[in-house]
Amino acid sequence: MSQPASTLSEGSPSNRFPLAALILGGAAIGGSPIFVRLSEVGPMATAFWRVALALIPIVIVSLMKKERGPRPQNLSDYGLLILPGVMLSLDLAAWHLSITMTSVANATLLANLAPVFVTVIAFLFFKARISRVFLLGLALALAGVIVLKGGPAAIGNGDLHGDGLATTAAFFYACYILALGSLRSRFDTTRIMLWSTASAAICIFPVAFFIEGHMLPMTVYGWSMVFGLAFISHAGGQAAITYALAYLPPAFSSLTLLLQPVVAAILAWALLNEAIGTMQALGGAVVLAGIMVARTSRSSA
């Protein structure tokens, strides 16, 4: 499922720059659990502000761009531009709700199954070729996440319904990545981010309002957390990933997002004084090794 870059306003760089953008995007999103934990409002309200406030820099960049790329031509195009936002809103809703119903270890691990869903969907529906080396890298990275979260023993005390929601979140995130990948063959990063972010905000707002009610942070500190989440994790991280998807396979791109729990653990150590033990260090190393192995493959997923 490769996406040609010839129709895009961005150039056609070597794979090094898109890979760097992908890694930086994954790292930026990896900080989102810290912002969510420190937020003064509930998880659903935080998810709304994550996308709503991200529209500020996205709109500014859109207005500053001289070349805006191809415009949507019909209702089908508009529907395709909205689709990633709908998938993202479903992912965020399921993910945040799962955290309240099952263990954090289970919710985090199962939500990181997105690369598996991306690989399976790309193989079954888009006839993507998946190499054995890529599958080995995927298995290694997933094993690293399990070790990072405390090993198999830490994943047995969850709730079946919460685990199911976390797995559902992974499926929706996989659909989000695949939808972005398909759009990048026709539209530029800014247009995709503008439509997908706006549609996600519209979808999340009623859920947050009716479930949690309390929407507004009460202090400057509280607003700084949601602004950080919006500007760094979404406007920065998701934009970098969207850009990279024009040049890199969705399956590999989704695999690189397994950097997120590694980054989250490092930030929790730096900002929240949470110790990094031997298991976490080993898990992080295995995740990185799995991504490097997958990088050597020639998967066209």
PDB file of all heavy atoms in Angstrom, residues 181-206:
ATOM      1  N   GLY A 181      -2.912   7.035   5.330  1.00  0.00           N
ATOM      2  CA  GLY A 181      -2.018   6.564   4.275  1.00  0.00           C
ATOM      3  C   GLY A 181      -2.643   6.649   2.900  1.00  0.00           C
ATOM      4  O   GLY A 181      -1.986   7.033   1.921  1.00  0.00           O
ATOM      5  N   SER A 182      -3.921   6.313   2.795  1.00  0.00           N
ATOM      6  CA  SER A 182      -4.592   6.367   1.494  1.00  0.00           C
ATOM      7  C   SER A 182      -4.807   7.804   1.026  1.00  0.00           C
ATOM      8  O   SER A 182      -4.720   8.102  -0.173  1.00  0.00           O
ATOM      9  CB  SER A 182      -5.935   5.633   1.567  1.00  0.00           C
ATOM     10  OG  SER A 182      -6.818   6.290   2.457  1.00  0.00           O
ATOM     11  N   LEU A 183      -5.042   8.720   1.958  1.00  0.00           N
ATOM     12  CA  LEU A 183      -5.260  10.124   1.599  1.00  0.00           C
ATOM     13  C   LEU A 183      -3.981  10.808   1.136  1.00  0.00           C
ATOM     14  O   LEU A 183      -4.026  11.750   0.331  1.00  0.00           O
ATOM     15  CB  LEU A 183      -5.834  10.889   2.794  1.00  0.00           C
ATOM     16  CG  LEU A 183      -7.317  10.675   3.109  1.00  0.00           C
ATOM     17  CD1 LEU A 183      -7.663  11.355   4.422  1.00  0.00           C
ATOM     18  CD2 LEU A 183      -8.193  11.221   1.992  1.00  0.00           C
ATOM     19  N   ARG A 184      -2.825  10.355   1.627  1.00  0.00           N
ATOM     20  CA  ARG A 184      -1.575  11.045   1.319  1.00  0.00           C
ATOM     21  C   ARG A 184      -1.171  10.929  -0.138  1.00  0.00           C
ATOM     22  O   ARG A 184      -0.273  11.636  -0.597  1.00  0.00           O
ATOM     23  CB  ARG A 184      -0.448  10.531   2.227  1.00  0.00           C
ATOM     24  CG  ARG A 184      -0.546  11.032   3.629  1.00  0.00           C
ATOM     25  CD  ARG A 184      -0.441  12.552   3.728  1.00  0.00           C
ATOM     26  NE  ARG A 184       0.949  12.965   3.648  1.00  0.00           N
ATOM     27  CZ  ARG A 184       1.444  13.784   2.745  1.00  0.00           C
ATOM     28  NH1 ARG A 184       0.664  14.296   1.824  1.00  0.00           N
ATOM     29  NH2 ARG A 184       2.718  14.112   2.738  1.00  0.00           N
ATOM     30  N   SER A 185      -1.814  10.052  -0.916  1.00  0.00           N
ATOM     31  CA  SER A 185      -1.533   9.980  -2.342  1.00  0.00           C
ATOM     32  C   SER A 185      -2.227  11.099  -3.109  1.00  0.00           C
ATOM     33  O   SER A 185      -1.943  11.319  -4.282  1.00  0.00           O
ATOM     34  CB  SER A 185      -1.974   8.618  -2.905  1.00  0.00           C
ATOM     35  OG  SER A 185      -3.374   8.465  -2.792  1.00  0.00           O
ATOM     36  N   ARG A 186      -3.136  11.831  -2.454  1.00  0.00           N
ATOM     37  CA  ARG A 186      -3.926  12.862  -3.141  1.00  0.00           C
ATOM     38  C   ARG A 186      -3.856  14.237  -2.491  1.00  0.00           C
ATOM     39  O   ARG A 186      -3.909  15.247  -3.186  1.00  0.00           O
ATOM     40  CB  ARG A 186      -5.386  12.418  -3.210  1.00  0.00           C
ATOM     41  CG  ARG A 186      -5.619  11.134  -3.974  1.00  0.00           C
ATOM     42  CD  ARG A 186      -7.090  10.835  -4.040  1.00  0.00           C
ATOM     43  NE  ARG A 186      -7.840  11.965  -4.592  1.00  0.00           N
ATOM     44  CZ  ARG A 186      -9.158  12.092  -4.492  1.00  0.00           C
ATOM     45  NH1 ARG A 186      -9.854  11.175  -3.868  1.00  0.00           N
ATOM     46  NH2 ARG A 186      -9.764  13.130  -5.021  1.00  0.00           N
ATOM     47  N   PHE A 187      -3.783  14.296  -1.166  1.00  0.00           N
ATOM     48  CA  PHE A 187      -3.869  15.580  -0.464  1.00  0.00           C
ATOM     49  C   PHE A 187      -2.625  15.815   0.380  1.00  0.00           C
ATOM     50  O   PHE A 187      -1.966  14.874   0.818  1.00  0.00           O
ATOM     51  CB  PHE A 187      -5.115  15.622   0.420  1.00  0.00           C
ATOM     52  CG  PHE A 187      -6.404  15.424  -0.329  1.00  0.00           C
ATOM     53  CD1 PHE A 187      -7.112  14.231  -0.215  1.00  0.00           C
ATOM     54  CD2 PHE A 187      -6.897  16.410  -1.159  1.00  0.00           C
ATOM     55  CE1 PHE A 187      -8.297  14.029  -0.902  1.00  0.00           C
ATOM     56  CE2 PHE A 187      -8.077  16.226  -1.859  1.00  0.00           C
ATOM     57  CZ  PHE A 187      -8.778  15.040  -1.730  1.00  0.00           C
ATOM     58  N   ASP A 188      -2.324  17.101   0.624  1.00  0.00           N
ATOM     59  CA  ASP A 188      -1.146  17.436   1.413  1.00  0.00           C
ATOM     60  C   ASP A 188      -1.434  17.290   2.907  1.00  0.00           C
ATOM     61  O   ASP A 188      -2.580  17.176   3.342  1.00  0.00           O
ATOM     62  CB  ASP A 188      -0.681  18.857   1.087  1.00  0.00           C
ATOM     63  CG  ASP A 188      -1.717  19.897   1.471  1.00  0.00           C
ATOM     64  OD1 ASP A 188      -2.668  20.126   0.700  1.00  0.00           O
ATOM     65  OD2 ASP A 188      -1.581  20.475   2.554  1.00  0.00           O
ATOM     66  N   THR A 189      -0.354  17.311   3.686  1.00  0.00           N
ATOM     67  CA  THR A 189      -0.447  17.083   5.131  1.00  0.00           C
ATOM     68  C   THR A 189      -1.395  18.060   5.823  1.00  0.00           C
ATOM     69  O   THR A 189      -2.233  17.657   6.638  1.00  0.00           O
ATOM     70  CB  THR A 189       0.956  17.209   5.770  1.00  0.00           C
ATOM     71  OG1 THR A 189       1.821  16.256   5.168  1.00  0.00           O
ATOM     72  CG2 THR A 189       0.897  16.967   7.271  1.00  0.00           C
ATOM     73  N   THR A 190      -1.274  19.344   5.491  1.00  0.00           N
ATOM     74  CA  THR A 190      -2.060  20.361   6.188  1.00  0.00           C
ATOM     75  C   THR A 190      -3.552  20.180   5.964  1.00  0.00           C
ATOM     76  O   THR A 190      -4.358  20.280   6.904  1.00  0.00           O
ATOM     77  CB  THR A 190      -1.638  21.771   5.733  1.00  0.00           C
ATOM     78  OG1 THR A 190      -0.230  21.918   5.895  1.00  0.00           O
ATOM     79  CG2 THR A 190      -2.351  22.835   6.547  1.00  0.00           C
ATOM     80  N   ARG A 191      -3.950  19.905   4.720  1.00  0.00           N
ATOM     81  CA  ARG A 191      -5.377  19.722   4.442  1.00  0.00           C
ATOM     82  C   ARG A 191      -5.930  18.509   5.184  1.00  0.00           C
ATOM     83  O   ARG A 191      -7.023  18.551   5.763  1.00  0.00           O
ATOM     84  CB  ARG A 191      -5.616  19.571   2.932  1.00  0.00           C
ATOM     85  CG  ARG A 191      -7.100  19.594   2.566  1.00  0.00           C
ATOM     86  CD  ARG A 191      -7.281  19.529   1.054  1.00  0.00           C
ATOM     87  NE  ARG A 191      -6.664  20.642   0.371  1.00  0.00           N
ATOM     88  CZ  ARG A 191      -7.226  21.845   0.251  1.00  0.00           C
ATOM     89  NH1 ARG A 191      -8.405  22.097   0.810  1.00  0.00           N
ATOM     90  NH2 ARG A 191      -6.604  22.804  -0.403  1.00  0.00           N
ATOM     91  N   ILE A 192      -5.178  17.429   5.192  1.00  0.00           N
ATOM     92  CA  ILE A 192      -5.629  16.219   5.880  1.00  0.00           C
ATOM     93  C   ILE A 192      -5.745  16.472   7.380  1.00  0.00           C
ATOM     94  O   ILE A 192      -6.730  16.086   8.029  1.00  0.00           O
ATOM     95  CB  ILE A 192      -4.671  15.045   5.611  1.00  0.00           C
ATOM     96  CG1 ILE A 192      -4.699  14.669   4.126  1.00  0.00           C
ATOM     97  CG2 ILE A 192      -5.038  13.833   6.465  1.00  0.00           C
ATOM     98  CD1 ILE A 192      -3.634  13.666   3.733  1.00  0.00           C
ATOM     99  N   MET A 193      -4.734  17.126   7.953  1.00  0.00           N
ATOM    100  CA  MET A 193      -4.755  17.414   9.385  1.00  0.00           C
ATOM    101  C   MET A 193      -5.914  18.333   9.748  1.00  0.00           C
ATOM    102  O   MET A 193      -6.568  18.148  10.786  1.00  0.00           O
ATOM    103  CB  MET A 193      -3.432  18.056   9.808  1.00  0.00           C
ATOM    104  CG  MET A 193      -2.259  17.096   9.878  1.00  0.00           C
ATOM    105  SD  MET A 193      -2.479  15.807  11.132  1.00  0.00           S
ATOM    106  CE  MET A 193      -2.584  16.792  12.621  1.00  0.00           C
ATOM    107  N   LEU A 194      -6.191  19.313   8.913  1.00  0.00           N
ATOM    108  CA  LEU A 194      -7.269  20.258   9.197  1.00  0.00           C
ATOM    109  C   LEU A 194      -8.618  19.549   9.234  1.00  0.00           C
ATOM    110  O   LEU A 194      -9.384  19.697  10.199  1.00  0.00           O
ATOM    111  CB  LEU A 194      -7.278  21.357   8.139  1.00  0.00           C
ATOM    112  CG  LEU A 194      -8.303  22.480   8.319  1.00  0.00           C
ATOM    113  CD1 LEU A 194      -8.075  23.206   9.629  1.00  0.00           C
ATOM    114  CD2 LEU A 194      -8.231  23.454   7.142  1.00  0.00           C
ATOM    115  N   TRP A 195      -8.911  18.760   8.226  1.00  0.00           N
ATOM    116  CA  TRP A 195     -10.210  18.079   8.155  1.00  0.00           C
ATOM    117  C   TRP A 195     -10.336  16.970   9.199  1.00  0.00           C
ATOM    118  O   TRP A 195     -11.378  16.847   9.853  1.00  0.00           O
ATOM    119  CB  TRP A 195     -10.421  17.513   6.749  1.00  0.00           C
ATOM    120  CG  TRP A 195     -10.883  18.546   5.776  1.00  0.00           C
ATOM    121  CD1 TRP A 195     -10.109  19.381   5.023  1.00  0.00           C
ATOM    122  CD2 TRP A 195     -12.238  18.885   5.467  1.00  0.00           C
ATOM    123  NE1 TRP A 195     -10.884  20.213   4.265  1.00  0.00           N
ATOM    124  CE2 TRP A 195     -12.203  19.934   4.514  1.00  0.00           C
ATOM    125  CE3 TRP A 195     -13.470  18.403   5.893  1.00  0.00           C
ATOM    126  CZ2 TRP A 195     -13.368  20.501   3.994  1.00  0.00           C
ATOM    127  CZ3 TRP A 195     -14.623  18.966   5.372  1.00  0.00           C
ATOM    128  CH2 TRP A 195     -14.561  20.005   4.434  1.00  0.00           C
ATOM    129  N   SER A 196      -9.292  16.175   9.372  1.00  0.00           N
ATOM    130  CA  SER A 196      -9.381  15.059  10.325  1.00  0.00           C
ATOM    131  C   SER A 196      -9.450  15.559  11.766  1.00  0.00           C
ATOM    132  O   SER A 196     -10.197  15.013  12.588  1.00  0.00           O
ATOM    133  CB  SER A 196      -8.194  14.113  10.148  1.00  0.00           C
ATOM    134  OG  SER A 196      -6.969  14.765  10.415  1.00  0.00           O
ATOM    135  N   THR A 197      -8.698  16.618  12.081  1.00  0.00           N
ATOM    136  CA  THR A 197      -8.707  17.151  13.445  1.00  0.00           C
ATOM    137  C   THR A 197     -10.046  17.805  13.771  1.00  0.00           C
ATOM    138  O   THR A 197     -10.594  17.616  14.867  1.00  0.00           O
ATOM    139  CB  THR A 197      -7.563  18.153  13.629  1.00  0.00           C
ATOM    140  OG1 THR A 197      -6.314  17.506  13.337  1.00  0.00           O
ATOM    141  CG2 THR A 197      -7.520  18.685  15.056  1.00  0.00           C
ATOM    142  N   ALA A 198     -10.572  18.582  12.825  1.00  0.00           N
ATOM    143  CA  ALA A 198     -11.864  19.233  13.054  1.00  0.00           C
ATOM    144  C   ALA A 198     -12.978  18.203  13.225  1.00  0.00           C
ATOM    145  O   ALA A 198     -13.827  18.331  14.120  1.00  0.00           O
ATOM    146  CB  ALA A 198     -12.191  20.174  11.897  1.00  0.00           C
ATOM    147  N   SER A 199     -12.981  17.176  12.399  1.00  0.00           N
ATOM    148  CA  SER A 199     -14.027  16.148  12.507  1.00  0.00           C
ATOM    149  C   SER A 199     -13.892  15.364  13.806  1.00  0.00           C
ATOM    150  O   SER A 199     -14.895  14.989  14.423  1.00  0.00           O
ATOM    151  CB  SER A 199     -13.985  15.205  11.301  1.00  0.00           C
ATOM    152  OG  SER A 199     -12.733  14.559  11.190  1.00  0.00           O
ATOM    153  N   ALA A 200     -12.660  15.117  14.260  1.00  0.00           N
ATOM    154  CA  ALA A 200     -12.461  14.427  15.532  1.00  0.00           C
ATOM    155  C   ALA A 200     -12.993  15.263  16.690  1.00  0.00           C
ATOM    156  O   ALA A 200     -13.651  14.739  17.602  1.00  0.00           O
ATOM    157  CB  ALA A 200     -10.976  14.125  15.741  1.00  0.00           C
ATOM    158  N   ALA A 201     -12.741  16.572  16.657  1.00  0.00           N
ATOM    159  CA  ALA A 201     -13.230  17.456  17.727  1.00  0.00           C
ATOM    160  C   ALA A 201     -14.749  17.467  17.767  1.00  0.00           C
ATOM    161  O   ALA A 201     -15.358  17.419  18.846  1.00  0.00           O
ATOM    162  CB  ALA A 201     -12.688  18.878  17.513  1.00  0.00           C
ATOM    163  N   ILE A 202     -15.377  17.527  16.597  1.00  0.00           N
ATOM    164  CA  ILE A 202     -16.844  17.537  16.537  1.00  0.00           C
ATOM    165  C   ILE A 202     -17.422  16.235  17.083  1.00  0.00           C
ATOM    166  O   ILE A 202     -18.443  16.239  17.782  1.00  0.00           O
ATOM    167  CB  ILE A 202     -17.313  17.774  15.086  1.00  0.00           C
ATOM    168  CG1 ILE A 202     -16.947  19.200  14.645  1.00  0.00           C
ATOM    169  CG2 ILE A 202     -18.809  17.549  14.950  1.00  0.00           C
ATOM    170  CD1 ILE A 202     -17.173  19.460  13.170  1.00  0.00           C
ATOM    171  N   CYS A 203     -16.770  15.127  16.800  1.00  0.00           N
ATOM    172  CA  CYS A 203     -17.267  13.824  17.268  1.00  0.00           C
ATOM    173  C   CYS A 203     -17.060  13.632  18.769  1.00  0.00           C
ATOM    174  O   CYS A 203     -17.907  13.043  19.456  1.00  0.00           O
ATOM    175  CB  CYS A 203     -16.575  12.696  16.504  1.00  0.00           C
ATOM    176  SG  CYS A 203     -17.025  12.561  14.767  1.00  0.00           S
ATOM    177  N   ILE A 204     -15.923  14.118  19.291  1.00  0.00           N
ATOM    178  CA  ILE A 204     -15.596  13.882  20.698  1.00  0.00           C
ATOM    179  C   ILE A 204     -16.378  14.795  21.636  1.00  0.00           C
ATOM    180  O   ILE A 204     -16.730  14.396  22.747  1.00  0.00           O
ATOM    181  CB  ILE A 204     -14.075  14.051  20.928  1.00  0.00           C
ATOM    182  CG1 ILE A 204     -13.308  12.945  20.218  1.00  0.00           C
ATOM    183  CG2 ILE A 204     -13.740  14.037  22.419  1.00  0.00           C
ATOM    184  CD1 ILE A 204     -11.810  13.108  20.293  1.00  0.00           C
ATOM    185  N   PHE A 205     -16.680  16.028  21.212  1.00  0.00           N
ATOM    186  CA  PHE A 205     -17.287  16.999  22.119  1.00  0.00           C
ATOM    187  C   PHE A 205     -18.572  16.496  22.784  1.00  0.00           C
ATOM    188  O   PHE A 205     -18.679  16.569  24.018  1.00  0.00           O
ATOM    189  CB  PHE A 205     -17.563  18.326  21.404  1.00  0.00           C
ATOM    190  CG  PHE A 205     -18.254  19.328  22.283  1.00  0.00           C
ATOM    191  CD1 PHE A 205     -17.549  20.014  23.250  1.00  0.00           C
ATOM    192  CD2 PHE A 205     -19.619  19.557  22.171  1.00  0.00           C
ATOM    193  CE1 PHE A 205     -18.188  20.933  24.088  1.00  0.00           C
ATOM    194  CE2 PHE A 205     -20.265  20.467  22.994  1.00  0.00           C
ATOM    195  CZ  PHE A 205     -19.542  21.155  23.963  1.00  0.00           C
ATOM    196  N   PRO A 206     -19.572  15.993  22.041  1.00  0.00           N
ATOM    197  CA  PRO A 206     -20.794  15.561  22.736  1.00  0.00           C
ATOM    198  C   PRO A 206     -20.550  14.411  23.706  1.00  0.00           C
ATOM    199  O   PRO A 206     -21.195  14.341  24.755  1.00  0.00           O
ATOM    200  CB  PRO A 206     -21.721  15.144  21.585  1.00  0.00           C
ATOM    201  CG  PRO A 206     -20.835  14.918  20.415  1.00  0.00           C
ATOM    202  CD  PRO A 206     -19.685  15.848  20.579  1.00  0.00           C
TER     203      PRO A 206
END
